[in-house]
């Protein structure tokens, strides 16, 4: 990749997109295309085609879309599915017609079967039904992944690289408990509980499910490595990306309570859903390219809380 190559980061203000932007800027890439919603509506195929014709991106990071935790998946499944299908279909089609050199598409570990051998290998996709609470979102992401592979197969190229990260966290995350993922939502709730001196905080489920958490900066490193790599040396697609270690939600809550200074009781509402019992990825494919995560979970949570207090709390 030339440092002056035009690189479109679709969703550059979000969690993954902002991490990619920080990384590319730090590596000296000088021609980043960072359109906002007012400049480019990604679900509008005509608008995307016009933008590509005007700016000629050679590389695309497709980090745009909508996601959320169990609550949002249960409350707004149609919204999540429709928005992601529209963006994926629009951007992938235009990218193929304009012959971009390479595009990274971020799928989701929600696509894997609810009951799946652990750690989950890429071959396990479509071997069973995903977790019911997130099946609409998972279906949309699976469609995007399959569309990437279908374009590659139809045109005999490896233009589209579908990546499956596990639960991503970091600066730029969504901390709204009604729409955010588990780690960021817990951080918000424990911060609020600590500062209002709540005696008790009630969390969904049993706390026993295990999750693997990947810092957005580590995911960006993996994505850049894939963008830069020669086609003939790429591992089979798709490619899992995870740190290789998971933690129970109960232990995650205890860690976040300590980071935020919460000293009250933690109670679990077992009438609420848990989601999948475990989601641990086998990331051996990406590791063959020399990638390894740099940020341990405890350190990442500490840094994220410092960022949250500085960027979010101080601006309120």
């Amino acid at each position: 990749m030339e440092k002056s190559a035009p690189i479109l980061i679709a969703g550059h203000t979000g969690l993954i997109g902002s991490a990619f932007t920080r990384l590319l800027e730090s590596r000296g890439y000088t021609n980043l295309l960072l359109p906002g919603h007012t400049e480019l509506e990604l679900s509008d195929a005509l608008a995307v085609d016009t933008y590509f014709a005007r700016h000629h991106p050679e590389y695309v990071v497709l980090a745009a879309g909508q996601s959320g935790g169990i609550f949002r998946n249960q409350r707004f499944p149609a919204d999540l599915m429709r928005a992601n299908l529209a963006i994926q279909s629009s951007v992938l089609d235009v990218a193929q017609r304009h012959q971009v050199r390479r595009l990274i598409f971020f799928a989701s570990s929600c696509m894997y079967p609810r009951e799946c051998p652990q750690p989950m290998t890429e071959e396990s996709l479509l071997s069973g039904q995903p977790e019911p609470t997130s099946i609409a979102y998972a279906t949309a992401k699976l469609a995007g992944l399959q569309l990437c592979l279908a374009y590659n197969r139809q045109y005999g190229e490896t233009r589209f690289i579908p990546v499956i990260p596990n639960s991503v966290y970091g600066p730029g995350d969504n901390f709204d408990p009604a729409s955010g993922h588990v780690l960021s939502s817990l951080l918000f709730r424990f911060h609020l509980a600590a500062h209002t001196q709540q005696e008790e905080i009630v969390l969904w489920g049993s706390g026993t499910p295990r999750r693997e958490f990947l810092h957005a900066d580590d995911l960006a490193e993996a994505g850049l490595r894939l963008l830069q790599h020669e086609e003939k040396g790429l591992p089979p697609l798709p490619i899992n990306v995870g740190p290789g270690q998971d933690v129970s939600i109960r232990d995650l809550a205890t860690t976040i309570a300590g980071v935020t200074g919460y000293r009250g009781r933690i109670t679990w509402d077992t009438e609420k859903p848990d989601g999948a019992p475990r989601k641990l990825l086998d990331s051996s494919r990406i590791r063959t390219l020399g990638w390894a995560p740099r940020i341990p979970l405890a350190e990442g949570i500490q840094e994220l809380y410092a960022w949250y207090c500085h960027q979010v709390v101080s601006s309120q």
Side-chain angles (χ1 to χ4, degrees):
M1 290 174 63
E2 297 291 336
K3 297 291 186 178
S4 60
I7 305 171
L8 170 61
I9 303 181
H12 74 280
T13 61
L15 171 61
I16 297 174
S18 61
F20 237 105
T21 302
R22 290 193 300 272
L23 176 63
L24 290 172
E25 288 177 341
S26 72
R27 298 289 175 85
Y29 290 90
T30 59
N31 194 1
L32 303 186
L33 305 175
L34 308 172
H37 286 297
T38 56
E39 183 180 358
L40 177 59
E41 174 49 61
L42 292 167
S43 62
D44 183 340
L46 179 58
V48 175
D49 186 72
T50 300
Y51 186 90
F52 273 59
R54 181 179 299 138
H55 297 280
H56 308 288
E58 294 182 18
Y59 299 89
V60 178
V61 177
L62 183 47
Q66 294 189 19
S67 63
I70 291 178
F71 177 85
R72 192 177 188 193
N73 273 275
Q74 287 190 310
R75 183 69 180 84
F76 303 106
D79 290 354
L80 288 172
M81 190 169 186
R82 183 183 64 250
N84 286 296
L85 286 173
I87 291 171
Q88 294 161 190
S89 176
S90 172
V91 176
L92 292 176
D93 178 61
V94 172
Q96 176 63 42
R97 288 192 284 107
H98 283 264
Q99 300 284 285
V100 302
R101 291 180 182 271
R102 186 161 288 173
L103 179 149
I104 294 284
F105 170 73
F106 293 102
S108 170
S109 61
C110 294
M111 302 181 307
Y112 281 102
R114 184 183 191 279
E115 305 295 335
C116 191
Q118 305 288 323
M120 301 182 291
T121 65
E122 294 88 348
E123 291 83 1
S124 294
L125 287 171
L126 298 173
S127 64
Q129 181 171 310
E131 161 62 33
T133 57
S134 59
I135 194 167
Y137 173 75
T139 300
K141 284 297 185 178
L142 184 59
L145 181 150
Q146 291 296 329
L147 187 56
C148 287
L149 299 180
Y151 274 122
N152 289 347
R153 185 166 61 250
Q154 182 167 324
Y155 293 97
E157 302 164 331
T158 312
R159 190 182 309 278
F160 299 118
I161 309 295
V163 170
I164 309 173
N166 225 325
S167 300
V168 184
Y169 72 99
D173 210 343
N174 175 14
F175 296 91
D176 184 349
S179 58
H181 290 105
V182 61
L183 192 153
S184 56
S185 298
L186 287 178
L187 192 146
F188 169 84
R189 292 195 60 195
F190 277 106
H191 169 81
L192 181 63
H195 282 261
T196 57
Q197 298 183 336
Q198 295 179 24
E199 295 183 358
E200 181 184 43
I201 186 169
V202 180
L203 304 179
W204 275 30
S206 65
T208 59
R210 301 186 66 85
R211 294 291 181 267
E212 180 184 30
F213 295 96
L214 175 67
H215 197 284
D217 289 349
D218 282 333
L219 176 57
E221 291 272 4
L224 180 57
R225 195 171 291 256
L226 290 167
L227 284 178
Q228 294 172 326
H229 208 277
E230 293 292 332
E231 179 176 332
K232 62 182 179 181
L234 284 173
L237 302 177
I239 298 175
N240 286 337
V241 181
Q245 295 179 325
D246 59 2
V247 62
S248 72
I249 300 302
R250 186 178 294 269
D251 287 344
L252 176 68
T254 300
T255 298
I256 293 176
V259 168
T260 58
Y262 178 69
R263 298 292 181 263
R265 296 190 306 276
I266 301 174
T267 302
W268 298 90
D269 182 357
T270 55
E271 293 187 0
K272 296 294 193 299
D274 268 335
R278 193 181 188 193
K279 290 197 298 182
L280 177 65
L281 295 178
D282 180 332
S283 298
S284 55
R285 288 183 181 179
I286 187 66
R287 289 177 180 269
T288 64
L289 302 183
W291 175 87
R294 297 183 299 104
I295 305 173
L297 180 59
E299 177 184 324
I301 293 174
Q302 289 275 5
E303 292 179 355
L304 178 60
Y305 186 55
W307 179 90
Y308 173 79
C309 290
H310 178 70
Q311 296 291 333
V312 180
V313 177
S314 62
S315 65
Q316 292 175 346

